[in-house]
Amino acid sequence: MEVVVRRLPFGLSRVVAPSLLGFALINGFTFGVDLLLLAFFRGGLGLPVPLAFTIAYVLAFGLSFVLNRALNFRSHAPVGPQAGLYAVAIAVNYLAFILGVGSALTAAGVQYLLSRVVAGACEAAFMYSVMRWVIFRDARG
């Protein structure tokens, strides 16, 4: 990520952290996994929206934690405390953005996948900030 960030145009290399680019790539991938799971649980199995959001969210964010810890932040701190902080962060994120924004938009008539995309945009800024400056603060970033 450091090599890619150094080559960014328009002076972006001075303001974009390598961990931000890594986060965007990893979480873009895991967000796709989240949407696929959501479509399967809601559209395929017919689960209620809040339950489908919850299951897809937990599975995708577990994958995000593992990939970000190992590949992006390369943290060597004990995993237990980090996992605990991560659990708190995803609980706050879940309540505020996934159930709050996602379910509210769906209840207002927005299609459930589109409402999840809007909620995802909100959660990205929150989760990157928490991961960089709280959960994986031991890593250079």
Side-chain angles (χ1 to χ4, degrees):
M1 293 298 103
E2 292 172 7
V3 172
V4 173
V5 167
R6 279 197 302 263
R7 294 176 187 235
L8 290 175
F10 312 116
L12 290 173
S13 62
R14 292 188 298 273
V15 295
V16 174
S19 63
L20 178 59
L21 182 58
F23 175 85
L25 291 172
I26 289 169
N27 284 59
F29 169 72
T30 58
F31 186 65
V33 170
D34 188 345
L35 291 177
L36 288 172
L37 291 171
L38 174 57
F40 172 71
F41 292 131
R42 174 66 181 152
L45 298 181
L47 296 179
V49 169
L51 183 59
F53 274 5
T54 302
I55 296 169
Y57 176 81
V58 169
L59 293 173
F61 265 83
L63 179 60
S64 172
F65 176 78
V66 170
L67 294 176
N68 271 294
R69 177 178 160 77
L71 302 176
N72 189 32
F73 294 100
R74 296 186 208 138
S75 178
H76 298 290
V79 73
Q82 287 180 336
L85 289 171
Y86 190 73
V88 170
I90 65 168
V92 168
N93 184 57
Y94 173 77
L95 293 172
F97 301 114
I98 306 309
L99 282 187
V101 173
S103 292
L105 288 173
T106 301
V110 177
Q111 200 269 347
Y112 69 93
L113 289 174
L114 180 57
S115 67
R116 181 62 185 94
V117 169
V118 172
C122 297
E123 74 179 298
F126 172 75
M127 287 306 298
Y128 174 73
S129 298
V130 170
M131 290 174 91
R132 181 172 179 186
W133 291 296
V134 178
I135 298 168
F136 300 120
R137 65 181 170 267
D138 70 307
R140 56 187 182 93

